[in-house]
């Protein structure tokens, strides 16, 4: 039997998590290829529509990751992302999408090891959860 391979869309901030992903690569940290990185200047610019669209177009999970609180290069973008993620969790739960399918993390530029570990853990959890099945497509 074939193992389910989830597709994960990751919106990563240019200044922290994208740099950490780059560091993970250059320091040869291994992580699954299930993740598609989308570089944004700040997590604060991740419009909730981007997340919904990712799910609508086949993502099994979405990761938003950026600078630690207090380290955002645009002062408070990551706080906006945190509020939006909380709201999205509520909206997504109405369509049967579990909280674990949308994750917000803070991964600093020097945390290549943490980036790889986060991706490995997320892929493992979503692989266990199985493909996304929700009513979201029927509503929009
Ligand atoms: S610049 Fe990284 S989260 Fe705002």
């Amino acid at each position: 039997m074939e193992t389910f391979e989830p597709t994960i869309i990751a919106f990563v901030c240019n200044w922290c998590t994208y740099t950490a992903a780059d560091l993970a690569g250059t320091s040869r940290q291994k992580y699954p290829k299930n993740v598609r990185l989308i570089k944004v200047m700040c997590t604060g610019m991740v419009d909730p529509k981007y997340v919904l669209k990712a799910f609508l177009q086949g993502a099994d999970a979405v990761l938003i990751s950026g600078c630690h609180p207090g380290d955002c290069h645009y002062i408070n973008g990551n706080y906006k992302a945190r509020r939006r993620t909380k709201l999205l969790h509520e909206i997504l739960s109405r369509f049967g999408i579990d909280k674990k399918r949308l994750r917000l993390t803070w991964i600093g530029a020097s945390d290549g090891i943490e980036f790889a570990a986060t991706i490995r853990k997320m892929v493992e959890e979503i692989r266990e959860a199985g493909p996304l099945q929700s009513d979201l497509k029927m509503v929009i």
Side-chain angles (χ1 to χ4, degrees):
M1 191 172 116
E2 248 181 63
T3 314
F4 162 64
E5 288 300 335
T7 300
I8 297 175
I9 299 298
F11 296 100
V12 293
C13 128
N14 174 60
W15 305 102
C16 287
T17 307
Y18 185 79
T19 307
D22 199 25
L23 179 62
T26 53
S27 56
R28 297 177 186 244
Q29 293 294 314
K30 294 209 181 310
Y31 61 88
K33 59 183 179 186
N34 307 59
V35 65
R36 312 282 185 274
L37 296 182
I38 298 175
K39 182 166 69 168
V40 293
M41 289 311 285
C42 174
T43 55
M45 69 158 290
V46 179
D47 191 302
K49 282 186 288 190
Y50 300 170
V51 174
L52 296 175
K53 194 167 180 185
F55 282 121
L56 282 169
Q57 295 198 340
D60 297 296
V62 174
L63 172 69
I64 301 170
S65 185
C67 308
H68 288 267
D71 287 347
C72 176
H73 291 241
Y74 304 96
I75 304 170
N76 60 2
N78 48 8
Y79 293 117
K80 283 183 193 163
R82 186 162 61 191
R83 288 195 297 270
R84 288 177 185 154
T85 301
K86 200 173 171 196
L87 186 65
L88 275 164
H89 278 148
E90 285 176 29
I91 294 167
L92 293 172
S93 72
R94 292 172 192 217
F95 296 100
I97 299 177
D98 192 90
K99 237 178 166 177
K100 70 178 151 221
R101 292 188 186 267
L102 171 62
R103 186 167 305 172
L104 174 67
T105 61
W106 315 129
I107 301 176
S110 60
D111 295 335
I113 292 172
E114 189 184 334
F115 174 80
T118 299
I119 299 301
R120 282 195 300 269
K121 189 169 182 250
M122 196 167 174
V123 167
E124 201 174 294
E125 282 179 17
I126 302 302
R127 204 179 269 149
E128 260 177 45
L132 176 70
Q133 291 167 348
S134 96
D135 304 332
L136 190 60
K137 282 184 185 163
M138 291 164 55
V139 174
I140 298 178

